[in-house]
Amino acid sequence: MSQETPSYGGQAVIEGVMFGGKHINVTAVRRKNQEITFLEVPKRDKSWVTKLRKIPLLRGLVSIIDASAKGSKHLNYSAESYAEDELEPEDLEKEKAKPKKKDEGWSLGMIFGVAVMGILSFLFGKLIFTLVPVFVEDFLFKNVFDNYVLHNLIEGGIKMVLLLVYLWAISQTPVIKRLFQYHGAEHKVISAFEAGEELTVQNVQKYSRLHYRCGSSFMMLTIILGVIIYSVVPWDNLWERVIQRIILLPVVIGVSFEVLKGTNAVREVPGLKYLGYPGLWLQLLTTKEPKDDQVEVSIASFNRMRELDAAIEARGYSEASVSGGILDPAKG
């Protein structure tokens, strides 16, 4: 029997998986000695952030920036774990023997710094991906015709090609391939849970690595809807076009987020489920079939997140419900 769709979200990190629950985000990482360790970070949104999340269009931008900030922190934990495992035993013992400094660990300043870097990386990447196709299209087709809507369509096509080539190219590297395998494992776990299956490696592996609610659908929507939104406002020259793209970028993000929510809501309606298919097709590049040990890590992360969520709700949620704010990694 199928269970009610949870509000949990997942995100693959270099050698592990992060799942975000109602009250806590949990990253599980497979260490070199085959142990699974966790980074557990309670969700503590400011009241004004919570209010912004309820405003249509604006909530999309807030959610994407928030995900970039939190994702960077968990990605950093995964990378640090990997680097630590690469140390020789004697070097690792030396590191552990060193006295802890006041600024070591996940201090507020470090959290803020990592979050800011994550946000800036997202915004910079999105800006570059938005503007490069503009210059390429203008260089190739500037004097071919005058119809700005047609220029926008070609720009969207160039953007799509660049996205597909970029994803294919990075997926050939060992590190990104493993990242995409963990991404596929996260999707399988969510699908198995939604179907009411017991979360075992054998059960989870039966499910598709593609999932309707994946952020890959968001990337595809920003390209498709961007063509439509940019065509509403005419431009006369290259620099007007560039300025228009920068100004309308938050609008494209906001509208794409709302449309994604809409397609998720109607995915069970016959005929309307096909609205989400472009995103599923893109996942053929952004996910890979995971190995059993990767699925095991994903299951561990998901179960730990649900366990902590349930414990927090059982005693009443507050910012102090999980002691220590940001917990030290605990061995599973």
Side-chain angles (χ1 to χ4, degrees), residues 37-86:
T37 62
F38 300 96
L39 174 67
E40 301 155 354
V41 184
K43 290 185 174 180
R44 297 184 296 178
D45 286 339
K46 299 294 184 181
S47 59
W48 60 271
V49 174
T50 303
K51 292 177 181 177
L52 290 178
R53 287 183 183 275
K54 298 178 181 179
I55 303 175
L57 295 181
L58 190 57
R59 61 189 173 189
L61 188 60
V62 173
S63 296
I64 295 299
I65 290 177
D66 182 60
S68 299
K70 291 176 178 176
S72 295
K73 184 162 51 188
H74 288 262
L75 186 64
N76 191 65
Y77 167 69
S78 178
E80 285 181 348
S81 299
Y82 178 80
E84 184 178 292
D85 284 343
E86 292 303 304

Side-chain angles (χ1 to χ4, degrees), residues 3-204:
Q3 299 183 26
E4 181 181 355
T5 300
S7 59
Y8 307 130
Q11 179 176 335
V13 290
I14 291 177
E15 287 294 331
V17 172
M18 181 190 84
F19 278 101
K22 296 177 182 178
H23 308 301
I24 195 164
N25 296 322
V26 175
T27 293
V29 175
R30 171 83 68 182
R31 305 303 292 266
K32 196 171 185 178
N33 61 4
Q34 298 306 305
E35 288 183 303
I36 297 176
T37 62
F38 300 96
L39 174 67
E40 301 155 354
V41 184
K43 290 185 174 180
R44 297 184 296 178
D45 286 339
K46 299 294 184 181
S47 59
W48 60 271
V49 174
T50 303
K51 292 177 181 177
L52 290 178
R53 287 183 183 275
K54 298 178 181 179
I55 303 175
L57 295 181
L58 190 57
R59 61 189 173 189
L61 188 60
V62 173
S63 296
I64 295 299
I65 290 177
D66 182 60
S68 299
K70 291 176 178 176
S72 295
K73 184 162 51 188
H74 288 262
L75 186 64
N76 191 65
Y77 167 69
S78 178
E80 285 181 348
S81 299
Y82 178 80
E84 184 178 292
D85 284 343
E86 292 303 304
L87 291 174
E88 295 295 331
E90 57 271 18
D91 294 329
L92 182 58
E93 289 301 320
K94 290 179 182 178
E95 287 295 321
K96 291 181 177 180
K98 288 181 180 180
K100 294 289 184 180
K101 297 178 182 179
K102 291 183 178 180
D103 59 348
E104 282 188 327
W106 285 102
S107 65
L108 182 60
M110 181 179 291
I111 295 169
F112 179 76
V114 172
V116 169
M117 286 304 298
I119 292 170
L120 291 178
S121 297
F122 164 76
L123 293 177
F124 180 76
K126 187 61 181 170
L127 196 61
I128 292 297
F129 185 69
T130 297
L131 296 183
V132 167
V134 172
F135 289 105
V136 172
E137 197 282 333
D138 183 78
F139 177 77
L140 295 176
F141 300 98
K142 179 179 181 179
N143 299 316
V144 177
F145 46 80
D146 295 327
N147 189 314
Y148 77 93
V149 175
L150 187 55
H151 279 289
N152 290 345
L153 286 171
I154 295 175
E155 175 192 334
I158 293 172
K159 188 178 296 184
M160 184 73 70
V161 170
L162 288 177
L163 174 64
L164 296 178
V165 170
Y166 170 74
L167 290 175
W168 176 84
I170 64 172
S171 69
Q172 305 306 302
T173 65
V175 171
I176 299 301
K177 182 179 179 180
R178 287 187 64 80
L179 177 71
F180 286 175
Q181 285 176 312
Y182 276 111
H183 191 188
E186 174 255 314
H187 284 177
K188 284 174 176 274
V189 168
I190 289 289
S191 295
F193 175 79
E194 291 174 340
E197 289 266 19
E198 179 185 0
L199 295 184
T200 65
V201 172
Q202 184 177 7
N203 286 344
V204 169

Side-chain angles (χ1 to χ4, degrees), residues 201-264:
V201 172
Q202 184 177 7
N203 286 344
V204 169
Q205 284 285 34
K206 294 185 300 184
Y207 288 84
S208 172
R209 74 179 198 264
L210 312 181
H211 196 280
Y212 212 94
R213 295 197 309 275
C214 177
S216 299
S217 300
F218 178 79
M219 289 192 293
M220 187 70 75
L221 280 172
T222 58
I223 295 176
I224 298 172
L225 295 175
V227 172
I228 298 173
I229 293 171
Y230 295 145
S231 296
V232 172
V233 183
W235 44 267
D236 294 323
N237 56 63
L238 175 62
W239 295 112
E240 278 189 13
R241 188 178 182 182
V242 169
I243 293 172
Q244 181 205 80
R245 297 300 186 267
I246 296 173
I247 293 175
L248 291 179
L249 182 57
V251 178
V252 172
I253 292 174
V255 172
S256 298
F257 185 84
E258 298 302 324
V259 172
L260 181 61
K261 287 176 65 69
T263 57
N264 288 336

